[in-house]
């Protein structure tokens, strides 16, 4: 679209008020309980200025930076799915009248979110959930309306996290599409500003209301270099060659048993994963028994009764649950939705209490599988 | 193509209300609900093998296959075994009462594709329910098919479903109906043993046969290997798979079976499509 422009910190702040003026609720990164989470923002004062994070298997720590960067960290425990695919919602209520009842669908609300600070892997994660909820035979209207209303201010990563592997998954760190505006934060002794790319007409309209100037070619170059550097710093890598076949052929691999000894079946990995979409429903009635409701809530393939059939669980063992999770992300997702279900954000590694590392487990299976398949 | 596209603006998670038109006691633990839409809207269009989500007020919602209308009638029939919380609540419904219904969902039996062939239907227990509409559809165009065989096994003689219809199927339509039970009682004069032992008692041309199988997973595994042994090609075997499912439209993730969603891609599958995962423990 238009050539890249430059805005400064005030411009970014002004962008928030412009969006609020357009009826958006702006949500983005902020510090809470020693983590960077996504919450409503009023101004850039709410951003995690001067913070960064240290991430590794089972480890997440906030640290102070020596500068005043606003986006100097990678992804935290939250993802945008909590806004597009709410953790819980009422689907409908029902009112009884004698032996009769009527169903009253929940009114479809139409919130307008502006997401500030969406990383490349997260843009891809949203595109992946689109395939689940709106691009198939059936459409989830709650997701659809939120998705269609959303305004995206993406941010190119200035550094990679310790568990990131977007380069392996082809999902980053460079923001490529789907955004309204995309920022690269430039910070040196003399400057603190943002190189802004425009991805939509609505993005251009917002920008028109801010003080900005055309970016010079060396500034655009500098922004590109930052992203290129980030790509060199990936904390993890994953070899995805024939990964579907590898996993399908190794459903009985002994490694699954080993993982099961460490895995707590706590479901953290699925809760933090930006593409995991499973849900369950709960039926409730009030004390009179005349009013019933049905709620939809996030669920996980690690929970107790996820596969319950009368007579018991299909996946009773932790082994089978972990196997389901990993093979779904990396293998069966391809058959179901035409892409990987993993964007390499690293959250599942960081937030796994016993630090089970997805990339390492696949590597182990790959290495021993080749050994196994060699003629004896 | 099974099922319809979702009309715009319709939330597939919201049930319609239906009225129990008829409650039919089938066996000691199994019953059928013949239901019609409240407000008398158009009868539902469905394919044999599809299922609906039935909701009992305040209790919950479960997937139940469509087992009819019977030829010449209109009500959608669901044949249900009382095994737990929701099916018990449905069991307690009486004529005139209301239930919620979403559907129809899922894939269907290959009725068209089987034309010109012999058809072997194998059912275990409640598995006959989703096969009954297939049988009705075959019999409606009886001359389009060769031999039609029904092999049906249950635990005890008292568990047999739809017994009154067997004579019509045999006499009027020339269906080879063979029954077996796991455990006989004093009056039982028929076969005892698992359902695949019945294969040797009927006539069909294996290479030109389509088999439609529904029952417990173990039963289907044995049925598949036995039919293959007789020479029925894998691409002509159809099985159903059962998994926990909450949404029936591919959103909830519960019903995954390897790459397949039981709700969208099944519950009826061509065997060769699911073969790599069939029989893997805890898949
Ligand atoms: C595609 C499909 C078609 C089916 N067709 C029939 C049919 O025609 N007749 C029939 O009697 N049964 C059928 N079933 C099985 C029926 O859905 C279960 O028996 C029923 O869900 C048990 O619910 P419950 O609350 O009575 O049992 P409980 O054991 O109390 O179950 C509690 C909850 O677990 C879940 N659950 C338990 N078992 C199953 C199951 N087998 N499938 C899905 N969810 C389950 C349900 O959410 C249920 O509410 C079918 C299942 C599937 C998947
Ligand atoms: S599987 Fe792990 S690394 Fe991949 S997208 Fe999900 S949380 Fe991120
Ligand atoms: S892999 Fe880790 S985060 Fe996921 S369920 Fe197991 S212990 Fe929990």
């Amino acid at each position: 679209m238009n050539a890249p422009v430059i805005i400064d910190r005030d411009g970014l702040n002004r962008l928030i008020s412009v969006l609020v003026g357009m009826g958006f609720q702006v949500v983005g990164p902020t510090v809470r309980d020693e983590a960077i989470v996504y919450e409503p923002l009023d101004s850039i004062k709410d951003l995690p200025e001067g913070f960064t994070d240290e991430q590794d298997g089972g480890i997440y720590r906030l640290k102070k930076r020596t500068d005043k960067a606003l986006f100097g960290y990678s992804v935290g425990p939250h993802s945008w799915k909590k806004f597009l695919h709410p953790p819980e919602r009422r689907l409908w209520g029902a009112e009884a009248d004698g032996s009769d009842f009527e169903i009253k669908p929940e009114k479809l609300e139409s919130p307008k979110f502006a997401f500030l600070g969406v990383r490349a892997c997260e843009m891809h994660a949203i595109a992946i959930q689109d395939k689940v909820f709106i691009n198939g035979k059936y459409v989830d209207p709650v997701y659809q309306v939120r998705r269609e209303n959303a305004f995206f201010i993406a941010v190119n990563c200035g550094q990679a996290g310790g568990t990131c592997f977007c380069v392996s998954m082809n999902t980053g760190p460079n923001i490529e599409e789907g955004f309204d505006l995309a920022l690269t934060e430039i910070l040196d002794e003399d400057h603190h500003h943002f190189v802004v790319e425009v991805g939509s007409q609505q993005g251009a309209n917002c920008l028109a209301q801010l003080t900005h100037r055309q970016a010079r070619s060396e500034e655009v170059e500098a922004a590109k270099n930052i992203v290129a550097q980030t790509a060199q710093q990936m904390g993890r890598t994953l070899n995805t060659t024939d990964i579907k076949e590898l996993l399908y052929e190794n459903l009985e691999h002994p490694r699954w048993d080993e993982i099961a000894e460490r895995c707590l079946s706590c479901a953290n990995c699925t809760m933090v994963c930006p593409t995991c979409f499973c849900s369950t429903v709960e039926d409730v009635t009030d004390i009179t028994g005349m009013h019933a409701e049905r709620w939809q809530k996030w669920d996980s393939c690690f929970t107790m009764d996820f596969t319950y059939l009368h007579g018991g669980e299909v996946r009773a063992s932790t082994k089978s649950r972990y196997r389901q999770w990993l093979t779904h992300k990396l293998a069966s997702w391809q058959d179901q939705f035409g892409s990987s279900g993993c964007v390499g954000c690293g959250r599942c590694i960081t937030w796994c209490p016993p630090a089970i590392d997805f990339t390492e487990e696949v590597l182990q299976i790959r290495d021993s599988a080749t050994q196994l398949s060699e003629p004896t | 193509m099974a099922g319809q596209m979702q009309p715009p603006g319709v939330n597939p998670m919201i049930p319609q209300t239906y009225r129990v038109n008829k409650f039919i006691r089938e066996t000691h633990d199994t019953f059928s609900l013949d239901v019609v839409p409240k407000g008398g809207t158009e009868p539902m269009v469905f394919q044999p093998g599809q299922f609906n989500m039935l909701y009992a007020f305040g209790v919950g919602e479960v997937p139940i296959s469509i087992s009819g209308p019977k030829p010449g009638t209109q009500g959608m029939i669901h044949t249900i075994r009382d095994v737990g919380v929701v099916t018990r609540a449905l069991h307690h419904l009486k004529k005139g009462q209301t239930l919620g219904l979403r559907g129809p969902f899922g894939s269907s039996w290959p009725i068209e594709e089987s034309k010109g062939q012999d058809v072997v239907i194998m059912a275990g227990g409640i598995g006959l329910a989703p096969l009954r509409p297939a049988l009705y559809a075959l019999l409606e165009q009886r001359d389009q098919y060769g031999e039609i065989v029904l092999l049906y096994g249950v635990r005890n003689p008292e568990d047999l479903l739809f017994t009154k219809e067997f004579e019509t199927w045999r006499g009027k339509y020339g269906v080879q109906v063979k029954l077996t039970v796991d455990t006989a009682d004093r009056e039982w004069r028929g076969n005892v043993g698992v359902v695949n032992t019945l294969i040797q008692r009927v006539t069909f041309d294996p290479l030109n046969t389509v088999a439609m199988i529904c029952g417990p997973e173990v039963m289907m595994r044995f049925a598949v290997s036995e039919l293959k042994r007789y020479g029925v090609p894998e691409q002509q075997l159809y099985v159903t798979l059962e998994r926990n499912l909450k949404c029936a439209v591919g959103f909830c993730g519960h019903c995954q079976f390897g790459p397949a969603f039981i709700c969208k891609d099944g519950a009826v599958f061509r065997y060769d499509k699911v073969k790599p995962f069939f029989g893997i423990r805890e898949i």
Side-chain angles (χ1 to χ4, degrees):
Chain A
M1 244 175 163
N2 321 34
V5 302
I6 300 284
I7 62 171
D8 60 10
R9 287 172 59 117
D10 289 342
L12 184 61
N13 207 23
R14 172 99 182 103
L15 176 60
I16 296 178
S17 11
V18 165
L19 288 164
V20 170
M22 290 167 73
F24 286 102
Q25 177 173 46
V26 181
V27 291
T30 194
V31 175
R32 186 162 57 80
D33 299 336
E34 294 173 47
I36 292 169
V37 296
Y38 297 153
E39 306 259 279
L41 304 177
D42 291 328
S43 76
I44 60 167
K45 285 210 195 75
D46 296 328
L47 291 171
E49 178 177 313
F51 276 101
T52 190
D53 51 18
E54 183 188 320
Q55 300 198 34
D56 202 346
I59 294 172
Y60 180 92
R61 256 185 236 120
L62 283 190
K63 290 198 308 198
K64 276 309 236 179
R65 297 171 61 98
T66 53
D67 60 21
K68 296 194 161 198
L70 295 175
F71 299 101
Y73 39 85
S74 54
V75 295
H78 285 189
S79 71
W80 309 98
K81 79 174 176 183
K82 72 171 185 167
F83 301 104
L84 295 172
H85 172 45
E88 54 177 71
R89 56 167 129 143
R90 186 164 51 209
L91 293 169
W92 44 265
E95 301 296 337
D97 175 12
S99 63
D100 205 7
F101 69 87
E102 250 179 72
I103 289 175
K104 299 209 168 76
E106 186 72 1
K107 196 171 148 275
L108 184 63
E109 283 173 8
S110 181
K112 281 175 74 176
F113 292 113
F115 298 138
L116 170 59
V118 187
R119 308 304 176 118
C121 62
E122 301 185 303
M123 294 298 298
H124 280 268
I126 292 166
I128 287 173
Q129 285 210 331
D130 287 351
K131 291 194 192 149
V132 178
F133 292 125
I134 51 182
N135 296 352
K137 182 172 160 196
Y138 296 99
V139 171
D140 176 354
V142 169
Y143 183 91
Q144 184 181 35
V145 67
R146 288 160 181 250
R147 179 68 177 84
E148 282 171 0
N149 286 347
F151 186 94
F152 290 90
I153 308 153
V155 167
N156 278 308
C157 289
Q159 66 184 66
T163 56
C164 288
F165 55 105
C166 62
V167 168
S168 305
M169 303 314 291
N170 249 322
T171 56
N174 189 39
I175 310 272
E176 271 155 10
E177 53 184 11
F179 58 89
D180 294 286
L181 296 172
L183 315 179
T184 309
E185 183 170 34
I186 309 257
L187 190 90
D188 56 35
E189 268 140 48
D190 311 314
H191 310 91
H192 188 183
H193 60 218
F194 303 90
V195 175
V196 186
E197 287 165 78
V198 182
S200 73
Q201 191 52 50
Q202 204 177 20
N205 296 347
C206 285
L207 200 63
Q209 302 181 54
L210 319 175
T211 314
H212 64 276
R213 63 164 171 84
Q214 221 63 98
R216 287 189 287 273
S217 63
E218 64 270 22
E219 288 167 331
V220 176
E221 207 48 39
K224 283 204 180 113
N225 286 340
I226 287 176
V227 190
Q229 256 173 38
T230 303
Q232 300 301 312
Q233 300 166 353
M234 290 292 127
R236 297 288 194 277
T237 54
L238 178 68
N239 174 359
T240 58
T241 318
D242 295 333
I243 197 157
K244 182 175 99 177
E245 293 72 18
L246 174 77
L247 293 171
Y248 280 172
E249 281 159 19
N250 286 286
L251 294 171
E252 306 285 14
H253 194 282
R255 187 75 189 177
W256 304 117
D257 294 297
E258 268 176 63
I259 301 169
E261 284 173 23
R262 287 173 282 143
C263 175
L264 313 171
S265 223
C266 69
N268 266 14
C269 47
T270 52
M271 294 294 116
V272 294
C273 177
T275 68
C276 274
F277 60 84
C278 290
S279 62
T280 187
V281 284
E282 274 175 32
D283 291 281
V284 292
T285 37
D286 66 0
I287 2 182
T288 65
M290 301 304 279
H291 174 77
E293 292 181 350
R294 171 157 267 236
W295 286 74
Q296 179 181 317
K297 299 184 173 175
W298 282 3
D299 200 1
S300 164
C301 53
F302 282 96
T303 57
M304 267 307 276
D305 45 12
F306 192 79
T307 55
Y308 177 81
L309 290 181
H310 57 94
E313 298 279 293
V314 174
R315 290 183 216 113
S317 70
T318 298
K319 163 191 165 176
S320 66
R321 293 179 195 178
Y322 190 91
R323 179 180 69 185
Q324 165 61 22
W325 184 66
L326 192 137
T327 52
H328 186 215
K329 292 276 113 165
L330 296 172
S332 44
W333 209 293
Q334 297 187 30
D335 287 327
Q336 296 169 347
F337 302 108
S339 77
S340 175
C342 172
V343 297
C345 72
R347 287 181 176 90
C348 59
I349 305 174
T350 299
W351 296 95
C352 176
I356 297 172
D357 182 340
F358 201 90
T359 61
E360 174 66 20
E361 300 310 334
V362 175
L363 184 67
Q364 291 294 335
I365 290 174
R366 190 182 286 282
D367 283 356
S368 54
T370 28
Q371 281 164 23
L372 289 176
S373 66
E374 263 153 35
T376 46
Chain B
M1 243 291 309
Q4 291 78 48
M5 287 300 284
Q6 176 185 338
V10 169
N11 185 339
M13 296 297 281
I14 316 263
Q16 303 297 309
T17 44
Y18 274 63
R19 190 168 51 75
V20 179
N21 183 36
K22 225 185 264 168
F23 179 101
I24 307 144
R25 185 184 186 276
E26 303 284 2
T27 72
H28 61 106
D29 65 356
T30 302
F31 59 99
S32 292
L33 296 177
D34 172 331
V35 302
V36 290
K38 270 172 65 172
T41 39
E42 291 289 294
M44 175 186 287
V45 179
F46 77 101
Q47 306 294 322
Q50 290 194 291
F51 67 94
N52 286 321
M53 297 297 284
L54 300 188
Y55 168 73
F57 181 80
V59 184
E61 192 183 49
V62 290
I64 300 292
S65 306
I66 301 169
S67 67
K70 292 194 182 181
T73 65
Q74 293 237 309
M76 299 292 291
I77 308 179
H78 305 81
T79 302
I80 307 166
R81 203 168 139 227
D82 179 340
V83 295
V85 184
V86 182
T87 48
R88 177 134 331 133
L90 293 169
H91 201 170
H92 288 148
L93 286 175
K94 296 186 179 66
K95 185 178 162 74
Q97 288 190 317
T98 306
L99 74 163
L101 185 151
R102 301 189 283 133
F105 298 115
S107 60
S108 51
W109 298 110
I111 305 298
E112 277 303 308
E113 299 87 320
S114 305
K115 284 193 172 155
Q117 313 249 7
D118 292 349
V119 178
V120 172
I121 291 177
M122 287 178 80
I126 187 80
L128 186 58
L131 282 162
R132 189 169 71 167
L135 206 54
Y136 289 152
L138 298 172
L139 299 183
E140 201 181 306
Q141 304 186 63
R142 181 66 188 87
D143 56 350
Q144 300 283 323
Y145 302 92
E147 295 292 342
I148 298 180
V149 174
L150 170 63
L151 309 178
Y152 178 34
V154 291
R155 283 221 181 97
N156 306 301
E158 58 180 31
D159 297 325
L160 285 168
L161 290 172
F162 313 141
T163 44
K164 288 195 198 115
E165 296 178 68
F166 297 160
E167 275 325 303
T168 320
W169 295 342
R170 279 193 184 113
K172 184 165 168 208
Y173 296 102
V175 179
Q176 304 176 55
V177 180
K178 297 282 174 213
L179 312 174
T180 183
V181 300
D182 295 344
T183 322
D185 59 15
R186 273 194 216 163
E187 279 128 64
W188 182 253
R189 297 279 171 273
N191 304 291
V192 178
V194 291
V195 68
N196 26 321
T197 57
L198 296 174
I199 296 176
Q200 57 188 345
R201 299 171 168 266
V202 289
T203 338
F204 61 95
D205 170 13
L207 275 178
N208 295 306
T209 288
V210 172
M212 309 180 192
I213 314 166
C214 184
E217 238 167 271
V218 269
M219 169 255 165
M220 291 192 293
R221 274 209 291 280
F222 283 114
V224 162
S225 62
E226 193 65 3
L227 286 165
K228 273 166 61 177
R229 208 170 62 81
Y230 273 78
V232 183
E234 279 181 357
Q235 320 82 269
Q236 290 163 218
L237 300 173
Y238 290 79
V239 295
T240 53
L241 287 165
E242 187 181 351
R243 284 292 181 275
N244 185 304
L245 56 90
K246 300 293 182 195
C247 74
V249 291
F251 297 160
C252 82
H254 282 244
C255 71
Q256 288 175 75
F257 177 84
F261 285 92
I262 303 290
C263 68
K264 289 193 298 187
D265 309 322
V268 177
F269 291 94
R270 209 173 87 181
Y271 171 70
D272 57 327
K273 307 268 184 185
V274 288
K275 184 182 169 191
F277 300 90
F278 207 68
I280 294 186
R281 283 193 57 228
E282 295 192 282
I283 193 73

